[in-house]
Amino acid sequence: AYQDLPMATIEAQDLRGMISRFRVLIMGRANAGKTTILQKVCNTTDQPEIYDTKGKKVRVMIYDIHASTADQSRRGNHDITNEMVFTSNPTFVFHDSCGFEAGSEGEFEDMKKFISDRAHATKLEDRIHAIWYCIPMDDHWRTFQRSEEKFFQECDTGHVPVVAVFTKFEALQPVAYGEIKKQLRGVSGKARSKRIAERVEELFSRTGVLDRLYNPENHARPKSYMNQQNTNCDTLLENTTFALDNEELRLCLVSTQKSNLELCIKCAIA
């Protein structure tokens, strides 16, 4: 009966009974730092357990979110519908988009269909509630590649919020240092760190990635973005929480994550 009601009419306590798990689609190229993000969110160093659509466990020993698309295809693990669950926090369910980033049109269409199907799924627990798009900064001259361009220009995510996560941000530090090395001679440690941090932000700005992400012609535009520098992903969880378009889903996410007391307080008083 609840499944036909608008989200805003559902009481939070009823929603928690209906949505026992918060579902996220994580996207990005191979080696974009996706596994690290998920491990930090779930406060673990373990690899996830993988389940197919029938709830059957996929052999974890041969699954590798870091692997190239060709490797994953050969191994038979290349399926966006598979669910990734960490035993440290099984109330999070993750899907990995691995595939379309390598340029396969078929995989791109599969990804679009998955998002459309899961964004409008009849059962709330089957819907994806957020999309995290990881963009690595270790090749800052080629930050926004064809895969990002294709997704943001052509993929309509509907009501599902997209949060852009700039990973491997620390890779900009040696580049920034190299650019201002001569200017740093004789500069003290704290001032030196500040100057390098400022140059890192300049480098990030010069990539033009934000202009491309927020192009008004894009079908998908991030509700927010973050530079993944902190160790526990609190900023990612906070940005995701407030990118959600209704209070009930916010409460669902807050109750799902276990480590961010400050977020619980912010959500309660928002």
Side-chain angles (χ1 to χ4, degrees):
Y2 281 127
Q3 293 166 3
D4 297 326
L5 295 175
M7 289 293 294
T9 67
I10 304 173
E11 294 294 334
Q13 61 265 32
D14 294 328
L15 185 79
R16 283 193 291 270
M18 296 160 54
I19 307 179
S20 57
R21 303 190 297 176
F22 192 84
R23 191 177 298 271
V24 176
L25 170 62
I26 189 162
M27 308 186 69
R29 290 167 254 148
N31 298 312
K34 292 179 287 186
T35 299
T36 301
I37 290 287
L38 301 187
Q39 288 173 327
K40 287 180 178 179
V41 166
C42 293
N43 194 28
T44 184
T45 57
D46 294 337
Q47 293 296 311
E49 295 181 343
I50 315 297
Y51 298 89
D52 62 21
T53 54
K54 297 180 180 179
K56 183 178 179 181
K57 194 171 182 179
V58 178
R59 292 178 61 196
V60 179
M61 61 179 290
I62 62 173
Y63 187 92
D64 184 2
I65 195 173
H66 292 298
S68 69
T69 303
D71 287 343
Q72 293 222 28
S73 295
R74 284 196 297 268
R75 295 173 184 178
N77 290 311
H78 185 43
D79 192 342
I80 193 173
T81 64
N82 282 347
E83 297 182 349
M84 298 188 293
V85 179
F86 291 88
T87 56
S88 60
N89 192 347
T91 49
F92 273 111
V93 178
F94 302 105
H95 295 268
D96 178 25
S97 68
C98 55
F100 93 92
E101 293 87 355
S104 166
E105 188 64 31
E107 298 294 350
F108 180 70
E109 292 302 322
D110 288 345
M111 179 271 297
K112 286 177 64 177
K113 184 178 186 303
F114 175 81
I115 291 177
S116 178
D117 290 348
R118 290 304 185 103
H120 303 97
T122 302
K123 293 183 178 180
L124 296 177
E125 64 184 17
D126 291 336
R127 295 180 185 174
I128 51 173
H129 305 122
I131 296 172
W132 294 341
Y133 201 115
C134 298
I135 302 176
M137 299 303 297
D138 54 351
D139 188 4
H140 69 283
W141 294 115
R142 299 177 64 247
T143 300
F144 206 82
Q145 298 185 12
R146 177 56 182 158
S147 54
E148 286 79 26
E149 187 176 78
K150 194 170 180 62
F151 171 76
F152 286 101
Q153 286 186 356
E154 301 180 27
C155 190
D156 186 355
T157 64
H159 66 275
V160 181
V162 179
V163 177
V165 187
F166 296 103
T167 60
K168 302 187 177 182
F169 211 73
E170 67 280 359
L172 294 178
Q173 292 182 358
V175 180
Y177 173 75
E179 288 190 358
I180 59 174
K181 184 177 181 180
K182 293 182 179 179
Q183 302 171 30
L184 294 175
R185 290 174 181 168
V187 179
S188 63
K190 184 175 291 188
R192 172 187 292 250
S193 297
K194 182 181 178 182
R195 294 276 294 277
I196 293 174
E198 290 172 347
R199 181 52 66 97
V200 164
E201 291 299 327
E202 290 177 20
L203 281 171
F204 177 68
S205 179
R206 293 206 305 259
T207 66
V209 64
L210 292 183
D211 292 335
R212 300 183 74 174
L213 283 175
Y214 289 98
N215 185 331
E217 295 182 1
N218 289 350
H219 283 290
R221 289 194 294 276
K223 285 288 188 73
S224 63
Y225 71 91
M226 60 162 287
N227 302 332
Q228 188 270 313
Q229 300 183 78
N230 58 338
T231 58
N232 55 14
C233 287
D234 284 353
T235 304
L236 174 58
L237 290 168
E238 181 174 331
N239 286 8
T240 303
T241 298
F242 291 104
L244 295 167
D245 60 5
N246 63 78
E247 181 183 0
E248 288 82 3
L249 274 179
R250 290 181 182 180
L251 291 173
C252 178
L253 176 54
V254 169
S255 65
T256 298
Q257 60 86 32
K258 298 179 178 180
S259 60
N260 193 342
L261 178 60
E262 183 179 353
L263 176 58
C264 297
I265 297 172
K266 285 182 178 180
C267 191
I269 64 178

